[in-house]
Amino acid sequence: MQRTLFCLLICCLFFSSAAFSQEDSSVRDKPAKTARSFFSVSYASLTADYLLDGYQPGRPTEFSYANRGTPGALCITYKYMLKKRIAVGVTATIEQQYGDWLDNEIPDGNVFDLQTTVKGAFVRTCYTLGADLTYDYVATSLVRLYLVAGLGFTYEFETDQYNPSFYDQGYRQGVNEYGPMRSSHVKSHVNMYASPLGLSVGRKLRYFFELGFGYRGVVNTGLAYGFNTGKK
C-alpha cells in the first residue's frame, strides 16, 4: 500500500513538473511587446540660434546681437520606429531670446579690429519644426546608444528698439536715418540638428541625453514615453 502511494506521488510530481515546464516554455516563446511610437519632452541648451545669433558669414568677430537670457529651448518630439534600430520623427521647438542689439564698425576693413557698441535691445521668439532620423547603433531592452540627424525650418518673431542716446545720433535735417525707433519683423531660415552621441535608458518610459549641435541644442535631455505596442 505504501509502495503504491509512493508511486502515485512520483507520477503526480512528474506530470506536474512536465506541465509547469511546458507552460514556462510557452511564456518564454510568446513574442515580446515593444513600443513603436514615442512622445518626448526635453530641454535643449545652447541651440544654434542662440550661439550664432546675428552671425555675419565671412566676419568671424562680428555679431548683430548678444543674447542675455537663458540659453534654452523646449522641445516636443514624436518618433516612430520603422525598424528595430531606425526611427523617423518630427520635432517642434520654442525658444525665447532677449538681449543687446549691437552696432559694429570695422576700421580699414580689418575684421579683427572690430569696434562694437550697444545701439538698443531686442526680444525674439523662435519656432522650429524639423524632421529627424534616428539610428540605434547599440540596442538592448533597456539601454540604447544612437545618433540623430535632422533638418528643419525656423521662424523668428522679433522686436528691436534703439537706445535713445544712439537713436538721437541718427537725425539729419529733422529726419532720422535709422527709421522707426521701434520695429517688429518676422525672419526665417533653414535649420539643422546633428547628434553623434545619444543615450536612452528605459523601456516604455525612457530618460535620454544627447550631445550635438543645432535646433535641439548642444545638450538635449528629457523623458520619452512609448505606446502603440506591437510585436517585437
Side-chain angles (χ1 to χ4, degrees):
M1 183 66 177
Q2 291 179 349
R3 181 177 296 177
T4 302
L5 291 175
F6 180 76
C7 291
L8 289 174
L9 179 61
I10 294 297
C11 290
C12 289
L13 290 174
F14 174 79
F15 285 114
S16 297
S17 176
F20 178 81
S21 176
Q22 183 176 2
E23 180 181 358
D24 182 66
S25 176
S26 66
V27 171
R28 289 199 308 268
D29 294 340
K30 186 178 181 180
K33 299 289 185 177
T34 183
R36 299 294 299 275
S37 299
F38 287 87
F39 268 113
S40 66
V41 178
S42 61
Y43 179 81
S45 181
L46 298 173
T47 66
D49 284 287
Y50 183 91
L51 294 174
L52 301 179
D53 190 8
Y55 172 69
Q56 302 293 326
R59 298 181 176 182
T61 61
E62 184 174 347
F63 289 80
S64 300
Y65 302 95
N67 278 288
R68 304 299 182 192
T70 302
L74 176 66
C75 301
I76 299 176
T77 300
Y78 169 76
K79 182 169 68 174
Y80 179 77
M81 302 297 297
L82 289 177
K83 297 183 178 180
K84 183 178 180 180
R85 294 176 180 266
I86 300 175
V88 293
V90 177
T91 296
T93 73
I94 180 172
E95 182 176 359
Q96 187 68 45
Q97 302 172 353
Y98 67 88
D100 297 330
W101 186 21
L102 305 178
D103 181 67
N104 299 292
E105 293 184 6
I106 304 177
D108 302 323
N110 182 2
V111 296
F112 295 100
D113 190 24
L114 178 68
Q115 297 179 7
T116 299
T117 57
V118 177
K119 63 181 179 181
F122 78 95
V123 292
R124 180 189 304 120
T125 303
C126 299
Y127 298 96
T128 300
L129 184 64
D132 310 320
L133 177 67
T134 303
Y135 175 73
D136 299 332
Y137 48 86
V138 174
T140 69
S141 61
L142 185 63
V143 177
R144 293 172 183 265
L145 294 176
Y146 60 90
L147 58 85
V148 185
L151 184 66
F153 210 77
T154 300
Y155 283 93
E156 302 177 357
F157 297 85
E158 180 179 316
T159 298
D160 300 322
Q161 181 169 316
Y162 287 99
N163 290 335
S165 58
F166 186 92
Y167 189 74
D168 290 342
Q169 300 174 17
Y171 280 105
R172 302 291 184 271
Q173 298 180 348
V175 178
N176 199 301
E177 62 182 16
Y178 297 141
M181 188 173 184
R182 180 175 183 175
S183 60
S184 298
H185 49 272
V186 178
K187 298 184 291 186
S188 61
H189 63 272
V190 175
N191 214 328
M192 52 78 64
Y193 178 67
S195 171
L197 180 59
L199 169 66
S200 173
V201 180
R203 291 183 174 85
K204 277 192 174 183
L205 181 62
R206 299 178 178 180
Y207 167 77
F208 64 92
F209 179 89
E210 299 171 2
L211 293 176
F213 183 80
Y215 54 79
R216 278 161 62 168
V218 173
V219 176
N220 183 35
T221 183
L223 294 173
Y225 181 76
F227 62 99
N228 189 23
T229 57
K231 290 185 179 181
K232 188 175 180 180

